[in-house]
Structure formats: structure tokens, C-alpha cells
Amino acid sequence: MKKISHSAVHRLILYRKLLKIQLHTGDDYIYSHNLAQLAGRTPAQVRRDLMYVAYSGSTVRGYHIAELVKSISMFIDSPTGQGVALVGLGNLGKAILNYTVGLNPKVEVRAVFDKDPVKIGTITEGITCFDVHDLEKIIDEKNINVAIISIPSEGAQTIADRLIAAGVIGILNYSSIRLNVPENIYVENRDMMRALEKTAFLGRYFNNQVIF
Amino acid sequence: MKKISHSAVHRLILYRKLLKIQLHTGDDYIYSHNLAQLAGRTPAQVRRDLMYVAYSGSTVRGYHIAELVKSISMFIDSPTGQGVALVGLGNLGKAILNYTVGLNPKVEVRAVFDKDPVKIGTITEGITCFDVHDLEKIIDEKNINVAIISIPSEGAQTIADRLIAAGVIGILNYSSIRLNVPENIYVENRDMMRALEKTAFLGRYFNNQVIF
DNA sequence: TAGATTGTTAATCGATTAACAATC
DNA sequence: TAGATTGTTAATCGATTAACAATC
């Protein structure tokens, strides 16, 4: 199996997103330098990234947008699709549902979990909220192997352990602790405070306000 | 001025966070291999990263935790502190406030903006919500140079233009469009769907379920 | 054909890793 | 001192960039 860097995966997903938007603008084809500009990359970088997916552009017309989207999807998405569980239906959980539900049928949120009796049984963005007590059962029933953690730090590790034991292989972690997981489990951490501090520093850095 | 990579900045912020937690465990000193384990890095990588900040460890005791935190902060934080504006007080905006307010006095959310009259004038996590119409005035008054965008895609570019014109140099963008900004402005994009798709792919990749 | 673009190879750059002298 | 750790230099690795032949 060939290797691919995390950042290349991230970029391919970005290209697909940008291409989907281009689909609605009328043009059938796009050149690497147009896509590069949209993505904030160089044309050569884009062409190199695209060589991961089995699709060749035309030297005259560039890339057929719809075909390229299809090729990227064949590369990135699971052929059978993947189910996603969201744990924690607070403000963040609701926002995540709002930003993700319905966008990619191959990466589909199939269940929400919470421990609050008021929330259990409600439906948000079309997804039912289950009792976190039934986590293992529902994950098995709904064939879920990806999870999003949007609960406070205290319970996060316990939930992660249960998710992994139930068959989850990828975790998007919005809690502010770092999870301890086996090495075959992928964890993507999204720490909001860390992102804010990074933005504050790099803003000054870009404006030459940092001296060291 | 020396150069530093975005990822090194991101790691230094992580180290500081992990060290702050260690502060409460009783030990005064920590070795690079302990910090490395917490951060998921190698000891040599940690030592190399730490050489950006002007602080030397002891060859016998390792790094004095409190001193190292101070040195990282002197490196990362602005001496005068930076004000932050949050634009959009929906579920996501409320979650962001919840995850960031009060954690770092040098990166301080000083104002929230929304266009909803019901929200304007309310106080969340101690921060007043202002009319987005008064954006420029408040940003100037409260000496803000960092902003978080947590509004739907449609209005995001217009808001970004106004923020930049008002003096913002760093933007943490949670909307799902890419912002067009001058090259001296730093934008950190946080696309939830992209993060989810990446997690789904890399989960399978880590488990050798991806063939290409 | 001429010209613009693509895919691929070679050169460069930077980050990571390994090795080691210096320190207490 | 012996031993463990640090800071720094050298070697390796990988990604980015530049160059260019192939294509229509």
C-alpha cells in the first residue's frame, strides 16, 4: 500500500469541496491554476496532490470537474459508507449537526447520544438522540465506526474507551483533553482555545509584530 | 527575525497546556520524555521545539514546569494582550465562548456580535452581545485585533472585510467558505465537515482498510 | 503547427531523526 | 565519579519547488 500524508488527505477533501461549488457555476472543466487559486496552493502542488486519485486531466481542457469529484470520492470515501455517532448534544453538538448533516451520504451521522433525560428521544436535524447508556448497542445496530466527542473533558476518556471497544476506529475529539487510544485508532483533536491562541500569535507574526 | 513553522507554534501551545495541567500534580520539574509522551511526540522533538523559547532545562532535573510555562507564554502571547471579537452567537458561538472564555487573559474575548435583536444586549459567559452594526466602533474601543467567525457562509466574507478594515489581523473561521483576505492577514479555517471526512478516512487508513 | 496544460523527473528546501559533547 | 539528561551538530528523510518532455 502506498503512503499518503495527513495533510494531503486534508487537501484532497478541500479540493472536492471547492470543485462541488464549481459544479454549480456552469463550467464543465477547470484548470489546475484555477483550483490552486481557490485552495491557496500552487498549480503544481494541486496537480501533484491529484495524482493520488486515478484521474487524468486533459492537456487542453484541464480537469473535468464532475469526473474529478467522482475520482476524489472513490479515493476518500468508503465504498460502503461509514456511520458516525455524535456524543454530547450541547451547544457544540447541535452546531456540529448543523454543519455536517446531509453533506456527504458516505459519512453519515446516524445517532446522537446524551445522558440528559430531557434530550433523550428528541430529534435534531433528523437524528434521534439516544441514552448514552445504550451506546454499544446502537453503534452495533447502526454500523457506526466513526465518532465525534462533544462533551466536557471529565467524561471524554471513558466515552472514548467505550467507543473503541464498540468498534469505532476514528474519533473527532472536541473535548479539551487528549485521549489515550491504541495505535490503530485515529484521533483528530479540535481544541478551540488552542486554535484561538494560534490565530492570535500568527496574526501578529504575519504582521511582523513578533520579535525573537 | 527567525522563522517558525505553523505546526511548531501549534505544538508550543499544546506543551503549555499540558504543562499547566502538570503544575497541579505536585512535581516542580518534568523531563522531555514525560512531556513528549503527553504530547505524542519524541523527546528530541520536544527539546528541539522548546529551543524557540528562551529557557534552558537542567541536565539533572529537566525543565522547571512553572518557569517553562512562563517562557512559552512570553514567546507566544503578546506582552500587551490581544482582544478577541466573536461574530455570531448561535449554538456554535455559545460553544466557543464556553470553551475559551477565561482560559488565557492575554487572549481575551471582549465582545460578541449578532444581528438578532433578541440576542443584542444579553450577556453570555460574562461577555456582552453587541449589534453587528456597531462592529467597527466596538473593535476600536475594545482594542480588538483577533476575530472568530461563527456565522453561516453567506455573510462571512462581508464580515471578514469589515473586521480587517477595522484592524483585525487574525481570523479563526468556522464558516464553511474560504475567505479572501490580504496576504498579511492570517486565517485559520475550521471546517467541521472536512474534519469529519478526514477522521473517517484516516480511521480506515490506520486500520489498513484503504487500498490504493 | 503553436501554445497552453498535464504528468513526471530532478533539484532544492526544510523538518525530522540520530549521534554526541557538555552538564550536573 | 557514573549516569541520565540537555543542547547542538550531522545525517536522513520527505515534501515542495522547478524543470521539462508529452499531449492535444
PDB file of all heavy atoms in Angstrom, chain A residues 3 10 12 27-28 37 39 51 72-73 77 102 117 143 153 160 174 192 196:
ATOM      1  N   LYS A   3       1.786   5.236   0.607  1.00  0.00           N
ATOM      2  CA  LYS A   3       1.555   6.092   1.762  1.00  0.00           C
ATOM      3  C   LYS A   3       0.997   7.448   1.326  1.00  0.00           C
ATOM      4  O   LYS A   3       1.247   7.905   0.210  1.00  0.00           O
ATOM      5  CB  LYS A   3       2.870   6.304   2.528  1.00  0.00           C
ATOM      6  CG  LYS A   3       3.211   5.134   3.450  1.00  0.00           C
ATOM      7  CD  LYS A   3       4.534   5.330   4.123  1.00  0.00           C
ATOM      8  CE  LYS A   3       4.514   6.485   5.117  1.00  0.00           C
ATOM      9  NZ  LYS A   3       5.839   6.584   5.808  1.00  0.00           N
ATOM     10  N   HIS A  10      -6.215  15.937   3.783  1.00  0.00           N
ATOM     11  CA  HIS A  10      -6.952  17.154   4.112  1.00  0.00           C
ATOM     12  C   HIS A  10      -7.151  18.020   2.863  1.00  0.00           C
ATOM     13  O   HIS A  10      -8.218  18.567   2.632  1.00  0.00           O
ATOM     14  CB  HIS A  10      -6.178  17.912   5.204  1.00  0.00           C
ATOM     15  CG  HIS A  10      -7.040  18.775   6.067  1.00  0.00           C
ATOM     16  ND1 HIS A  10      -6.680  20.038   6.444  1.00  0.00           N
ATOM     17  CD2 HIS A  10      -8.257  18.559   6.612  1.00  0.00           C
ATOM     18  CE1 HIS A  10      -7.634  20.558   7.187  1.00  0.00           C
ATOM     19  NE2 HIS A  10      -8.590  19.692   7.317  1.00  0.00           N
ATOM     20  N   LEU A  12      -7.063  17.019  -0.361  1.00  0.00           N
ATOM     21  CA  LEU A  12      -7.947  16.382  -1.337  1.00  0.00           C
ATOM     22  C   LEU A  12      -9.405  16.628  -0.973  1.00  0.00           C
ATOM     23  O   LEU A  12     -10.239  16.875  -1.842  1.00  0.00           O
ATOM     24  CB  LEU A  12      -7.662  14.873  -1.408  1.00  0.00           C
ATOM     25  CG  LEU A  12      -6.380  14.483  -2.155  1.00  0.00           C
ATOM     26  CD1 LEU A  12      -6.097  12.994  -1.994  1.00  0.00           C
ATOM     27  CD2 LEU A  12      -6.497  14.835  -3.639  1.00  0.00           C
ATOM     28  N   ASP A  27     -19.367  25.828 -15.685  1.00  0.00           N
ATOM     29  CA  ASP A  27     -18.241  25.251 -16.426  1.00  0.00           C
ATOM     30  C   ASP A  27     -18.134  23.751 -16.181  1.00  0.00           C
ATOM     31  O   ASP A  27     -18.376  23.276 -15.080  1.00  0.00           O
ATOM     32  CB  ASP A  27     -16.923  25.922 -16.009  1.00  0.00           C
ATOM     33  CG  ASP A  27     -16.840  27.349 -16.527  1.00  0.00           C
ATOM     34  OD1 ASP A  27     -17.500  27.656 -17.539  1.00  0.00           O
ATOM     35  OD2 ASP A  27     -16.106  28.153 -15.913  1.00  0.00           O
ATOM     36  N   ASP A  28     -17.741  23.007 -17.215  1.00  0.00           N
ATOM     37  CA  ASP A  28     -17.541  21.578 -17.061  1.00  0.00           C
ATOM     38  C   ASP A  28     -16.104  21.250 -16.656  1.00  0.00           C
ATOM     39  O   ASP A  28     -15.838  20.246 -16.019  1.00  0.00           O
ATOM     40  CB  ASP A  28     -17.863  20.856 -18.376  1.00  0.00           C
ATOM     41  CG  ASP A  28     -19.369  20.758 -18.606  1.00  0.00           C
ATOM     42  OD1 ASP A  28     -20.126  20.978 -17.635  1.00  0.00           O
ATOM     43  OD2 ASP A  28     -19.781  20.487 -19.743  1.00  0.00           O
ATOM     44  N   GLN A  37      -5.813  28.462  -7.070  1.00  0.00           N
ATOM     45  CA  GLN A  37      -6.131  29.776  -6.501  1.00  0.00           C
ATOM     46  C   GLN A  37      -7.229  29.665  -5.443  1.00  0.00           C
ATOM     47  O   GLN A  37      -7.127  30.266  -4.368  1.00  0.00           O
ATOM     48  CB  GLN A  37      -6.561  30.727  -7.615  1.00  0.00           C
ATOM     49  CG  GLN A  37      -6.732  32.147  -7.120  1.00  0.00           C
ATOM     50  CD  GLN A  37      -6.845  33.137  -8.260  1.00  0.00           C
ATOM     51  OE1 GLN A  37      -7.280  32.775  -9.348  1.00  0.00           O
ATOM     52  NE2 GLN A  37      -6.456  34.383  -8.004  1.00  0.00           N
ATOM     53  N   ALA A  39      -7.832  27.159  -3.617  1.00  0.00           N
ATOM     54  CA  ALA A  39      -7.361  26.409  -2.451  1.00  0.00           C
ATOM     55  C   ALA A  39      -6.184  27.080  -1.756  1.00  0.00           C
ATOM     56  O   ALA A  39      -5.732  26.597  -0.719  1.00  0.00           O
ATOM     57  CB  ALA A  39      -6.988  24.989  -2.860  1.00  0.00           C
ATOM     58  N   MET A  51      -2.632  13.449  -8.248  1.00  0.00           N
ATOM     59  CA  MET A  51      -2.132  12.192  -8.799  1.00  0.00           C
ATOM     60  C   MET A  51      -2.402  11.002  -7.889  1.00  0.00           C
ATOM     61  O   MET A  51      -2.226   9.859  -8.297  1.00  0.00           O
ATOM     62  CB  MET A  51      -0.656  12.325  -9.141  1.00  0.00           C
ATOM     63  CG  MET A  51      -0.480  13.117 -10.433  1.00  0.00           C
ATOM     64  SD  MET A  51       1.220  13.607 -10.701  1.00  0.00           S
ATOM     65  CE  MET A  51       1.992  11.999 -10.763  1.00  0.00           C
ATOM     66  N   ILE A  72     -12.088  11.691  -6.680  1.00  0.00           N
ATOM     67  CA  ILE A  72     -11.671  12.002  -5.313  1.00  0.00           C
ATOM     68  C   ILE A  72     -12.545  11.239  -4.325  1.00  0.00           C
ATOM     69  O   ILE A  72     -12.050  10.668  -3.351  1.00  0.00           O
ATOM     70  CB  ILE A  72     -11.735  13.526  -5.048  1.00  0.00           C
ATOM     71  CG1 ILE A  72     -10.720  14.275  -5.918  1.00  0.00           C
ATOM     72  CG2 ILE A  72     -11.468  13.818  -3.563  1.00  0.00           C
ATOM     73  CD1 ILE A  72     -10.785  15.792  -5.807  1.00  0.00           C
ATOM     74  N   SER A  73     -13.836  11.187  -4.610  1.00  0.00           N
ATOM     75  CA  SER A  73     -14.752  10.486  -3.700  1.00  0.00           C
ATOM     76  C   SER A  73     -14.447   8.993  -3.650  1.00  0.00           C
ATOM     77  O   SER A  73     -14.480   8.384  -2.579  1.00  0.00           O
ATOM     78  CB  SER A  73     -16.201  10.703  -4.142  1.00  0.00           C
ATOM     79  OG  SER A  73     -16.552  12.062  -3.966  1.00  0.00           O
ATOM     80  N   ASP A  77     -13.775   8.297   0.104  1.00  0.00           N
ATOM     81  CA  ASP A  77     -14.909   7.678   0.798  1.00  0.00           C
ATOM     82  C   ASP A  77     -14.811   6.162   0.818  1.00  0.00           C
ATOM     83  O   ASP A  77     -14.264   5.546  -0.096  1.00  0.00           O
ATOM     84  CB  ASP A  77     -16.222   8.081   0.113  1.00  0.00           C
ATOM     85  CG  ASP A  77     -16.532   9.558   0.291  1.00  0.00           C
ATOM     86  OD1 ASP A  77     -16.074  10.143   1.285  1.00  0.00           O
ATOM     87  OD2 ASP A  77     -17.230  10.120  -0.579  1.00  0.00           O
ATOM     88  N   GLY A 102     -26.188  15.686   6.261  1.00  0.00           N
ATOM     89  CA  GLY A 102     -26.689  15.744   4.893  1.00  0.00           C
ATOM     90  C   GLY A 102     -25.667  16.120   3.839  1.00  0.00           C
ATOM     91  O   GLY A 102     -25.967  16.126   2.646  1.00  0.00           O
ATOM     92  N   PRO A 117     -31.986  13.259  30.352  1.00  0.00           N
ATOM     93  CA  PRO A 117     -33.297  12.654  30.016  1.00  0.00           C
ATOM     94  C   PRO A 117     -34.166  13.570  29.164  1.00  0.00           C
ATOM     95  O   PRO A 117     -35.000  13.100  28.387  1.00  0.00           O
ATOM     96  CB  PRO A 117     -33.939  12.423  31.394  1.00  0.00           C
ATOM     97  CG  PRO A 117     -32.807  12.408  32.356  1.00  0.00           C
ATOM     98  CD  PRO A 117     -31.770  13.334  31.800  1.00  0.00           C
ATOM     99  N   ASN A 143     -24.180   0.214  12.615  1.00  0.00           N
ATOM    100  CA  ASN A 143     -22.961   0.002  11.845  1.00  0.00           C
ATOM    101  C   ASN A 143     -22.089   1.264  11.815  1.00  0.00           C
ATOM    102  O   ASN A 143     -21.721   1.760  10.738  1.00  0.00           O
ATOM    103  CB  ASN A 143     -23.352  -0.421  10.428  1.00  0.00           C
ATOM    104  CG  ASN A 143     -22.267  -1.261   9.779  1.00  0.00           C
ATOM    105  OD1 ASN A 143     -21.305  -1.655  10.460  1.00  0.00           O
ATOM    106  ND2 ASN A 143     -22.406  -1.526   8.509  1.00  0.00           N
ATOM    107  N   SER A 153     -14.553  17.645  29.287  1.00  0.00           N
ATOM    108  CA  SER A 153     -13.356  16.814  29.413  1.00  0.00           C
ATOM    109  C   SER A 153     -13.529  15.634  30.357  1.00  0.00           C
ATOM    110  O   SER A 153     -13.021  14.538  30.091  1.00  0.00           O
ATOM    111  CB  SER A 153     -12.197  17.664  29.927  1.00  0.00           C
ATOM    112  OG  SER A 153     -12.061  18.813  29.144  1.00  0.00           O
ATOM    113  N   ALA A 160     -14.469   7.552  25.126  1.00  0.00           N
ATOM    114  CA  ALA A 160     -13.569   7.098  24.057  1.00  0.00           C
ATOM    115  C   ALA A 160     -13.295   5.605  24.194  1.00  0.00           C
ATOM    116  O   ALA A 160     -13.340   4.862  23.204  1.00  0.00           O
ATOM    117  CB  ALA A 160     -12.268   7.892  24.101  1.00  0.00           C
ATOM    118  N   TYR A 174     -13.560  16.966  20.236  1.00  0.00           N
ATOM    119  CA  TYR A 174     -13.718  18.390  20.547  1.00  0.00           C
ATOM    120  C   TYR A 174     -13.571  18.675  22.034  1.00  0.00           C
ATOM    121  O   TYR A 174     -13.653  19.824  22.443  1.00  0.00           O
ATOM    122  CB  TYR A 174     -15.068  18.904  20.045  1.00  0.00           C
ATOM    123  CG  TYR A 174     -15.100  19.226  18.576  1.00  0.00           C
ATOM    124  CD1 TYR A 174     -15.547  18.301  17.647  1.00  0.00           C
ATOM    125  CD2 TYR A 174     -14.661  20.460  18.095  1.00  0.00           C
ATOM    126  CE1 TYR A 174     -15.566  18.586  16.296  1.00  0.00           C
ATOM    127  CE2 TYR A 174     -14.679  20.753  16.756  1.00  0.00           C
ATOM    128  CZ  TYR A 174     -15.129  19.820  15.862  1.00  0.00           C
ATOM    129  OH  TYR A 174     -15.138  20.108  14.520  1.00  0.00           O
ATOM    130  N   MET A 192     -10.528  24.310  20.711  1.00  0.00           N
ATOM    131  CA  MET A 192     -10.887  25.670  20.303  1.00  0.00           C
ATOM    132  C   MET A 192      -9.951  26.723  20.882  1.00  0.00           C
ATOM    133  O   MET A 192      -9.588  27.677  20.204  1.00  0.00           O
ATOM    134  CB  MET A 192     -12.327  25.963  20.710  1.00  0.00           C
ATOM    135  CG  MET A 192     -13.310  25.216  19.829  1.00  0.00           C
ATOM    136  SD  MET A 192     -14.994  25.408  20.378  1.00  0.00           S
ATOM    137  CE  MET A 192     -15.863  24.802  18.920  1.00  0.00           C
ATOM    138  N   LEU A 196      -7.553  29.312  18.862  1.00  0.00           N
ATOM    139  CA  LEU A 196      -7.628  30.764  19.068  1.00  0.00           C
ATOM    140  C   LEU A 196      -6.257  31.350  19.390  1.00  0.00           C
ATOM    141  O   LEU A 196      -5.861  32.389  18.844  1.00  0.00           O
ATOM    142  CB  LEU A 196      -8.633  31.068  20.189  1.00  0.00           C
ATOM    143  CG  LEU A 196      -8.855  32.538  20.516  1.00  0.00           C
ATOM    144  CD1 LEU A 196      -9.294  33.309  19.272  1.00  0.00           C
ATOM    145  CD2 LEU A 196      -9.899  32.688  21.620  1.00  0.00           C
TER     146      LEU A 196
END
